[in-house]
Amino acid sequence: MSRLAGKTALVTGSSRGIGRATAERLARDGALVAVHYNADADAAGKVVAGIAEAGGKAFAVKAELGVPGDVDTLFEALEAGLKEHGASGLDILVNNAGVMGGVAPEEVTPEIFDRLVAVNAKAPFFIVQRVLGILQDGGRIINISSGLTRFANPQEVAYAMTKGAVEQLTLHFAKHLSGRGITVNSVAPGITNNGTPVFDIPEVVEQMAALSAFNRVGETRDVADVVAFLASDDARWITGGFLDASGGTLLGG
C-alpha cells in the first residue's frame, strides 16, 4: 500500500502497544514515521528496525513527556530526524502517549493526578500548539482518547478525566484549523491487548472479552487501522469526530 507515500508522521508513545502498531501501519502505508519513546531505546529501535525490514522508513525520537521542556526536546529531535531524511514538515500527528492511574478514587493523590494531567492532557495540547508551525495544510491530527469517557471504571476516574480533556482538544482545534484543511479527530480504544501480563491470564481475558459485542479483547492492529483511515485522504470529510474503537464495549445484552 502507498496511500501515504511522501507523507511524514509522528506517533507519540510508539515503542509498544497501540502506538507501535500505529507506527508500523502508517509506515506500511508509505509514511516516514517518527517513533517517539520515553525511556526504552531498545524497544523503539526494534520498531524502527522492523519497519525498515518491511521496506518502510522510520527513525526514533526520545522525549519524556509531562516534564518541563518536554515539547522542546521532542521537536528538536523530530525536526533533526526529518531533516536527516530530507523532509522539513509534518503531515500526520498521532497523540498516543499516555499513562493510567489504576487506583481507587479515594487513593488518588495530588501527585498522581498532576502526573496524569501533565502527560495525558497538557502534553498533547502543547504538542498540537507546537506542531502547527511545521504541520502541512491538509494535515491530520489524531488524538487517542479512551472508551472510559463513555463507560465507567472508578479506578481510572482521573485518567478518564484527562481523556475527556483530549476530546475537547479535538473538538476545538478541529474548528480552529479547518481553514487550513487540517482534520482533527479522536479515537477511543476499549480493552486492548497491549502485551501487559494481565493478558496472559486466560480467565481474566475471558472476563474482559465478555464486555465486547464481539466477545474478544481488542488487538492493537484493530485501533491502528482506524487511525490509518483517519490519516488517509479517505477521511478528508471527517473532523471534530469521535470514533469508538472499543469493539462495542458494554453495548448491552
Side-chain angles (χ1 to χ4, degrees):
M1 299 176 68
S2 59
R3 62 180 180 176
L4 296 180
K7 303 293 187 181
T8 56
L10 166 63
V11 183
T12 65
S14 50
S15 64
R16 65 179 187 88
I18 291 171
R20 175 175 183 165
T22 298
E24 292 170 342
R25 173 59 199 269
L26 296 181
R28 192 162 68 247
D29 284 357
L32 165 66
V33 181
V35 175
H36 162 258
Y37 69 99
N38 174 17
D40 196 340
D42 288 342
K46 289 177 181 177
V47 177
V48 171
I51 287 173
E53 288 172 7
K57 297 179 294 181
F59 60 93
V61 292
K62 172 180 169 56
E64 180 182 359
L65 299 182
V67 298
D70 53 357
V71 176
D72 288 338
T73 300
L74 173 63
F75 276 83
E76 286 169 7
L78 171 65
E79 291 171 5
L82 290 172
K83 183 178 180 180
E84 183 177 340
H85 286 79
S88 58
L90 198 71
D91 298 286
I92 302 159
L93 167 65
V94 182
N95 271 315
N96 167 75
V99 293
M100 298 189 75
V103 297
E106 296 84 356
E107 297 173 8
V108 175
T109 64
E111 292 76 18
I112 291 173
F113 190 89
D114 288 347
R115 174 66 175 163
L116 290 167
V117 171
V119 176
N120 297 349
K122 183 178 179 180
F125 178 91
F126 286 101
I127 289 171
V128 170
Q129 182 190 72
R130 179 68 171 267
V131 83
L132 298 184
I134 63 171
L135 190 65
Q136 305 284 2
D137 289 354
R140 302 283 187 265
I141 297 174
I142 300 142
N143 299 315
I144 304 302
S145 180
S146 170
L148 289 173
T149 64
R150 297 297 187 275
F151 44 82
N153 176 355
Q155 287 193 317
E156 294 293 353
V157 58
Y159 169 81
M161 289 173 67
T162 65
K163 290 302 186 177
V166 165
E167 292 172 15
Q168 291 302 307
L169 172 72
T170 295
L171 180 66
H172 294 277
F173 267 102
K175 177 67 173 178
H176 185 59
L177 299 176
S178 59
R180 293 180 54 189
I182 295 169
T183 68
V184 189
N185 292 287
S186 296
V187 174
I191 299 171
T192 306
N193 184 353
N194 59 6
T196 54
V198 69
F199 290 95
D200 294 326
I201 306 172
E203 56 270 27
V204 175
V205 172
E206 183 178 358
Q207 292 171 0
M208 293 189 293
L211 299 175
S212 164
F214 299 115
N215 199 37
R216 69 171 176 87
V217 298
E219 298 296 334
T220 55
R221 66 178 182 274
D222 294 325
V223 182
D225 289 348
V226 175
V227 175
F229 163 68
L230 289 173
S232 75
D233 187 60
D234 291 344
R236 61 192 175 277
W237 202 235
I238 302 173
T239 196
F242 171 90
L243 274 71
D244 183 305
S246 71
T249 296
L250 296 179
L251 284 179

